[in-house]
Each structure stands twice: as C-alpha cells, then as structure tokens.
C-alpha cells in the first residue's frame, strides 16, 4: 500500500511541476524511454532527443493520467509515439536545395546561394517562417501544420502564400542587374 501511495503522491507532485518529482521519474524511467527510442529510431542522437522531448513536457502531459500505476505504460507509449513521429519527420526531411528554391520562386538569376535563402527565410515574420519551413522544407501537410501550430488549416494556407510572396520579393531584390 505504501508504494501505491508514494506513486500517487509522486504523480501529484509531477502534475504540480515540482522539480524533485521530475528528477525521481527521470532517474527511474529515462533508461527505459531511451531504450525504446533507440530500438525504434536506430539512432543514439534521435533516441536522446526523444528522451528529452518526453520528459520536458511531462508535468503538462500527465494532466490526464489519473492512475499512478499506469505511469510506466504511459511513458512507454509516449516514447514509442515520439520515436515514430521522429522517423516520419526524418523520412520527410528534404534538403534545402537551389533547384527547389528556383522552382518555387522562378528567379531569373540562376545563382541562388544557400546563404541568400537562409537570410531571406530568417527575415520572415515568425508565423510565416514557421509555416514555410514546415511545408516546404519538412514536407508537412496543411492539416499537420494546422494541428502542430494550433491554427486553422485555411490560415496555414494563407500564411504559406504570404511567406512565398515575401520570399519572391526579397529574393528578386537580390538579383544584380
């Protein structure tokens, strides 16, 4: 009975965001989360990232968990879900290339450097920059962008249109006559 009460108390402290509780849970379960992530991603770097992601938002994410005995099961599922999401993102990730940008912006000057592109993207307002990166560089669908950013799908489409328009203008201004 005592361990059950301790688990319940630990869960309450976690939900309250107490650092000591998070430390206890991290020490107890980080190895498990890492192993699951490593087995699924086959990458030490990705497994480390997944482990960090799982534990960073833990207090908020546990708000719906009511049974302390289910904590380990919840962590296993979360580790697996985050690992699979990372694999999906890795498959989608496309290298930023000059050809992609020239296709997107129909730039007259055939020489478009990566530095010019990165500078132009960095100058976009954050809401436009996030949508552009998620859609054009990471391959997210509009529905996935909307869900990720907590916006309507139509707003994601509008922001991408505006980002492309600003980038065209910015990049066309860099063409030397």
């Amino acid at each position: 009975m005592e361990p059950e009460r301790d688990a319940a108390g630990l869960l309450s402290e976690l939900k309250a965001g107490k650092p000591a509780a998070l430390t206890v849970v991290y020490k107890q379960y980080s190895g498990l989360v890492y192993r699951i992530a490593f087995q699924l991603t086959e990458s030490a770097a990705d497994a480390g990232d997944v482990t960090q992601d799982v534990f960073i938002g833990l207090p908020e994410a546990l708000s719906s968990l009511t049974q302390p005995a289910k904590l380990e099961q919840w962590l296993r599922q979360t580790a697996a879900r985050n690992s699979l999401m990372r694999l999906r993102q890795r498959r989608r990730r496309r290298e930023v290339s000059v050809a992609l940008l020239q296709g997107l912006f129909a730039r007259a000057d055939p020489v478009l450097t990566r530095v010019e592109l990165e500078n132009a993207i960095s100058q976009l307002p954050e809401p436009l920059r996030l949508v552009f990166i998620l859609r054009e560089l990471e391959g997210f669908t509009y529905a996935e962008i909307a869900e990720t950013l907590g916006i309507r799908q139509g707003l994601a489409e509008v922001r991408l249109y505006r980002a492309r328009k600003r980038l065209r203008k910015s990049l066309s201004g860099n063409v030397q006559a």
Side-chain angles (χ1 to χ4, degrees):
M1 240 188 267
E2 186 67 21
E4 186 178 345
R5 189 161 28 116
D6 288 342
L10 184 62
L11 184 60
S12 295
E13 290 177 22
L14 270 173
K15 288 180 179 182
K18 294 191 177 177
L22 186 57
T23 300
V24 169
V25 171
Y26 182 82
K27 285 180 180 178
Q28 188 170 353
Y29 294 106
S30 62
L32 171 72
V33 170
Y34 181 87
R35 275 192 313 278
I36 291 169
F38 184 77
Q39 289 171 347
L40 291 171
T41 64
E42 298 178 333
S43 163
D46 284 340
D49 289 345
V50 166
T51 302
Q52 181 179 354
D53 291 346
V54 167
F55 286 98
I56 282 179
L58 195 60
E60 296 82 25
L62 286 175
S63 63
S64 62
L65 184 65
T66 57
Q67 299 175 343
K70 303 267 185 182
L71 177 61
E72 182 175 333
Q73 177 185 353
W74 184 90
L75 286 168
R76 286 175 178 271
Q77 291 172 338
T78 302
R81 194 171 35 254
N82 285 6
S83 297
L84 294 173
M85 188 170 41
R86 184 162 295 269
L87 286 173
R88 191 176 77 198
Q89 289 171 347
R90 190 189 314 159
R91 280 194 306 267
R92 279 195 208 146
R93 186 160 285 139
R94 293 185 270 167
E95 186 65 30
V96 179
S97 70
V98 172
L100 169 67
L101 295 170
Q102 288 174 337
L104 281 173
F105 304 113
R107 183 168 169 175
D109 182 358
V111 180
L112 177 63
T113 68
R114 182 182 210 93
V115 173
E116 286 177 302
L117 170 65
E118 289 173 356
N119 285 338
I121 292 172
S122 71
Q123 296 303 313
L124 290 172
E126 184 174 316
L128 303 183
R129 186 175 64 248
L130 291 175
V131 171
F132 180 83
I133 289 169
L134 290 175
R135 177 71 179 172
E136 299 297 347
L137 306 182
E138 299 296 334
F140 278 52
T141 66
Y142 288 115
E144 290 170 326
I145 293 169
E147 182 180 336
T148 301
L149 299 178
I151 60 176
R152 293 182 332 272
Q153 185 172 326
L155 183 56
E157 293 171 10
V158 168
R159 286 181 180 175
L160 180 63
Y161 170 80
R162 290 178 180 164
R164 286 176 176 169
K165 186 176 176 181
R166 285 188 185 204
L167 285 171
R168 276 188 205 99
K169 183 177 179 182
S170 174
L171 293 172
S172 69
N174 289 337
V175 175
Q176 298 179 3

